[in-house]
Amino acid sequence: MSILFSRQCEYALQAVLYLALKPQNEMTSIRELTKRIDIPYHFVAKILQDLTRKGFLVSHKGPAGGFGLAVPAKDITILQIVEAIDGLSLINSCVLGFPNCTHDDHCAVHDQWEIIRERIHHMLASKNILEMADDNKKPQYSLTI
Amino acid sequence: MSILFSRQCEYALQAVLYLALKPQNEMTSIRELTKRIDIPYHFVAKILQDLTRKGFLVSHKGPAGGFGLAVPAKDITILQIVEAIDGLSLINSCVLGFPNCTHDDHCAVHDQWEIIRERIHHMLASKNILEMADDNKKPQYSLTI
DNA sequence: ATATATTCAGAGTATTTAGTCTGATTATTA
DNA sequence: TAATAATCAGACTAAATACTCTGAATATAT
């Protein structure tokens, strides 16, 4: 599991990244997804349903149905997915978990974390899913077997 | 909860930080700790026992007993505590959670995360517990009521 | 129309993490 | 030596997260 996100969020990212490699109008079945990426079938199904409700994906039932991106891959960032699944409150709260760590009266690594937090934010927001998919040279995401 | 650590680890940090403000030979009871810091009694007891076994603390039973630092506060870093409780594997693995993210064949934010990882490591390793305790001006850690 | 391949929905189970309870042990003090 | 104040240990419960199952709904192709 990742240190920053829940497993659900990871799976969401991996799935969306996979979909980004396909023509936007083409539907991808859960079955195909789970063959390429190692995610439990029914679990990813629920996650994709969720992403569909939240407007990132579209779904079609029936044969040749499946899921696809609702908007072009270049218009989606990792940050948006993370925000939709996990929320951002954890990233924005005290890194040591101190309850009353505020701007005025803060923990010992507050300033250092502020900088790191900014970088993390930038890392998640700077690249869109399309650029990311292009960066992923890994076989598991390539469309040809 | 913190984004980087488990709750156990947080509590460990808070407790150790509190102990660092006391003379090293003075024992602090769990009761006192839980009065100053909002941590469940029996839970923190287990954590302190664990830290004792791992050599960070000493404990004494009986009246006027309790826990204290086994080594001077200036010789303990946050990183050491984190390593002892949570381990460092999460920090060192792929931030997007991709299973086969390696040096050669990596995820889209690998390089960016490398830099952030370094900063996090530095943040946790650069200050010892004594400096940290001094930085904490928060009333909850002060010794006077 | 019927068979089929898919999503949809919600309840159910499993695992991990967090937190609690109780009784024993130990050391101090009076 | 007896009362007391503390840790120690381990079993227990609760909550959150991860994951599974089943049956329905729906759309397509033949």
Side-chain angles (χ1 to χ4, degrees), chain A residues 2-15:
Chain A
S2 159
I3 194 164
L4 296 183
F5 320 125
S6 70
R7 198 161 279 176
Q8 243 191 64
C9 190
E10 270 176 44
Y11 290 166
L13 288 172
Q14 297 186 23

Side-chain angles (χ1 to χ4, degrees), chain A residues 79-91:
Chain A
L79 190 68
Q80 287 177 288
I81 306 292
V82 172
E83 193 170 4
I85 303 287
D86 281 349
L88 299 181
S89 64
L90 268 189
I91 285 186

Side-chain angles (χ1 to χ4, degrees), chain B residues 29-30 41 46 49 59 61-63 67:
Chain B
S29 71
I30 299 174
Y41 186 95
K46 302 199 80 162
Q49 280 161 28
S59 70
K61 290 184 179 180
F67 294 88

Side-chain angles (χ1 to χ4, degrees), chain A:
Chain A
M1 190 168 99
S2 159
I3 194 164
L4 296 183
F5 320 125
S6 70
R7 198 161 279 176
Q8 243 191 64
C9 190
E10 270 176 44
Y11 290 166
L13 288 172
Q14 297 186 23
V16 167
L17 224 49
Y18 184 80
L19 296 182
L21 285 167
K22 292 226 169 170
Q24 203 189 327
N25 55 351
E26 192 173 316
M27 292 289 112
T28 305
S29 71
I30 299 174
R31 177 182 301 271
E32 178 186 337
L33 256 177
T34 55
K35 264 184 193 152
R36 300 304 180 80
I37 313 180
D38 190 30
I39 309 184
Y41 186 95
H42 292 285
F43 196 33
V44 79
K46 306 203 77 165
I47 296 169
L48 295 189
Q49 282 160 29
D50 192 29
L51 287 175
T52 304
R53 266 181 245 111
K54 285 170 177 161
F56 292 101
L57 305 180
V58 290
S59 71
H60 288 303
K61 289 183 178 182
F67 295 86
L69 296 184
V71 293
K74 68 171 178 48
D75 295 336
I76 309 176
T77 63
I78 306 185
L79 190 68
Q80 287 177 288
I81 306 292
V82 172
E83 193 170 4
I85 303 287
D86 281 349
L88 299 181
S89 64
L90 268 189
I91 285 186
N92 293 328
S93 52
C94 175
V95 69
L96 297 185
F98 290 171
N100 14 2
C101 179
T102 64
H103 181 70
D104 298 329
D105 185 15
H106 53 64
C107 83
V109 295
H110 192 85
D111 296 335
Q112 290 189 68
W113 177 246
E114 196 65 34
I115 298 169
I116 294 171
R117 188 214 314 277
E118 281 302 312
R119 283 193 97 109
I120 291 176
H121 192 276
H122 179 260
M123 174 178 83
L124 302 179
S126 65
K127 283 196 181 182
N128 63 56
I129 297 289
L130 182 64
E131 292 170 316
M132 289 199 51
D134 288 342
D135 285 352
N136 274 304
K137 304 287 188 250
K138 295 189 293 181
Q140 70 183 113
Y141 295 109
S142 72
L143 287 176
T144 55
I145 299 175

Side-chain angles (χ1 to χ4, degrees), chain B residues 55-135:
Chain B
F56 292 100
L57 305 181
V58 291
S59 70
H60 287 302
K61 290 184 179 180
F67 294 88
L69 296 182
V71 293
K74 69 170 177 47
D75 294 336
I76 309 177
T77 64
I78 307 185
L79 190 68
Q80 286 177 290
I81 305 292
V82 172
E83 194 170 3
I85 303 286
D86 281 349
L88 298 181
S89 63
L90 268 189
I91 285 186
N92 292 329
S93 51
C94 175
V95 69
L96 297 185
F98 289 171
N100 14 3
C101 179
T102 64
H103 182 68
D104 297 331
D105 185 15
H106 52 63
C107 81
V109 296
H110 192 86
D111 295 337
Q112 291 190 64
W113 177 247
E114 196 65 34
I115 297 170
I116 294 171
R117 188 214 314 278
E118 281 302 312
R119 282 194 97 108
I120 291 176
H121 192 275
H122 178 260
M123 175 178 83
L124 302 179
S126 64
K127 282 196 179 181
N128 63 55
I129 297 288
L130 182 62
E131 292 170 314
M132 290 200 49
D134 288 341
D135 285 351

